[in-house]
Amino acid sequence: VKEEGKNNFQFFTSEMNDLISRKSKIAMSIRKGLELGEFSVYYQPQIDIETERIIGVEALVRWNHAKLGPISPTEFIPIAEENGMILHIGEFVLRTACQQTKAWQDAGVEPFRVAVNISAKQFSQGNISEVITSALEDAQLAPEFLELELTESLIQGATSAITKMQELKAMGIHLSIDDFGTGYSSLSYLKLFPIDSLKIDQYFTRNINKDAKDAALVDTIIQMARNLGLNVIAEGVETLDQLVYLKNKHCNQAQGYYFQKPLLPERIEELYSKV
Ligand code: C2E
Ligand code: CA
Ligand code: CA
Ligand code: CA
């Protein structure tokens, strides 16, 4: 029994070691991965439900690690937030997205916005408006083609967040609240913050045709957004049933596998060229 106990203990620690070393491997190889060009950006179309036309794309970062293979952003973004590398990843995505959007416009793709995810740390620590101004200028992209997806968590630093948002808004940049409904913020910030749209989290979208309570929440979010004069975009739309439901409730925008998965930039160009 003693022997077994000992073996179990060793097994447990070696499993833990594997986990720790994967995490620290990831943490330590972000900088090098950026230098080596292991990171790239995919783009997922955002659709106007009424016209079914593209109104924007969301930029989603991808990492193909030399040794570990593809790593999901849901795994490496939290690690990068912990060790500060999110500032570098975030700037890479922002610059790539602005340059790509300008390149599409130059190539005759119908003009649409690019939405970039901004983590709370990037928003609170970085000199975000300088980074953004520089990315737009270098890409020669007009600010109205950029949207920032912010989460409720950055609302913690309330007053400084409002000032930064107002600054960005004054530049002509669009602002949206991502994963709306999953945070714990007070709704009163919706009145204070100069935002253009709310994004309904895919957690709610998934169940609208199955769960009456999720459906009720989605109805309420749509109603509230429309009453406040905001756009409302449902993410994670995978089926026609979900789309029809959203359309009947006057949700005006949608994004999800029902339309397109996140795509390579060349594919976006093929799909949305003007002629
Ligand atoms: P998010 O911002 O909520 O992005 C939506 C996620 O849902 C993406 O996962 C997207 O690929 C996925 N998705 C889109 N349509 C559907 C659908 O119909 N069904 C399902 N099941 N999923 C769908 P992805 O690309 O793995 O990104 C995961 C998360 O990682 C993002 O969630 C975001 O929080 C974070 N992330 C991704 N790129 C960036 C980035 O450049 N910067 C920051 N700060 N975070 C990022
Ligand atoms: Ca997002
Ligand atoms: Ca989201
Ligand atoms: Ca999410």
Side-chain angles (χ1 to χ4, degrees), residues 223-238:
Q223 275 286 317
M224 185 181 58
R226 304 308 279 158
N227 289 342
L228 290 168
L230 303 173
N231 289 309
V232 58
I233 173 161
E235 64 179 17
V237 175
E238 293 183 352

Side-chain angles (χ1 to χ4, degrees), residues 9-33:
F9 182 68
Q10 282 171 344
F11 177 69
F12 180 64
T13 51
S14 91
E15 247 191 3
M16 278 190 57
N17 280 336
D18 284 351
L19 267 178
I20 291 163
S21 74
R22 178 172 166 92
K23 192 181 164 189
S24 56
K25 261 182 215 154
I26 289 173
M28 289 185 312
S29 51
I30 294 174
R31 188 181 298 275
K32 187 138 178 259

Side-chain angles (χ1 to χ4, degrees), residues 230-248:
L230 303 173
N231 289 309
V232 58
I233 173 161
E235 64 179 17
V237 175
E238 293 183 352
T239 69
L240 180 60
D241 285 351
Q242 291 168 340
L243 181 63
V244 167
Y245 182 94
L246 291 162
K247 189 172 182 173
N248 287 336

Side-chain angles (χ1 to χ4, degrees), residues 74 117 151 178-179 182 201-203 235:
T74 57
N117 291 285
T151 57
D178 202 0
D179 301 341
T182 63
D201 195 71
Q202 53 184 277
Y203 171 84
E235 64 179 17

Side-chain angles (χ1 to χ4, degrees), residues 41-45 58-62 255-257 259-265 267-268:
V41 182
Y42 275 54
Y43 301 89
Q44 187 177 37
E58 179 177 3
L60 293 157
V61 69
R62 296 290 178 260
Q255 175 182 349
Y257 297 167
F259 300 101
Q260 300 291 342
K261 294 201 164 172
L263 302 170
L264 281 167
R267 188 74 186 119
I268 295 281

Side-chain angles (χ1 to χ4, degrees), residues 213-229:
K213 287 186 179 170
D214 280 342
L217 285 173
V218 168
D219 298 356
T220 307
I221 294 172
I222 296 169
Q223 275 286 317
M224 185 181 58
R226 304 308 279 158
N227 289 342
L228 290 168

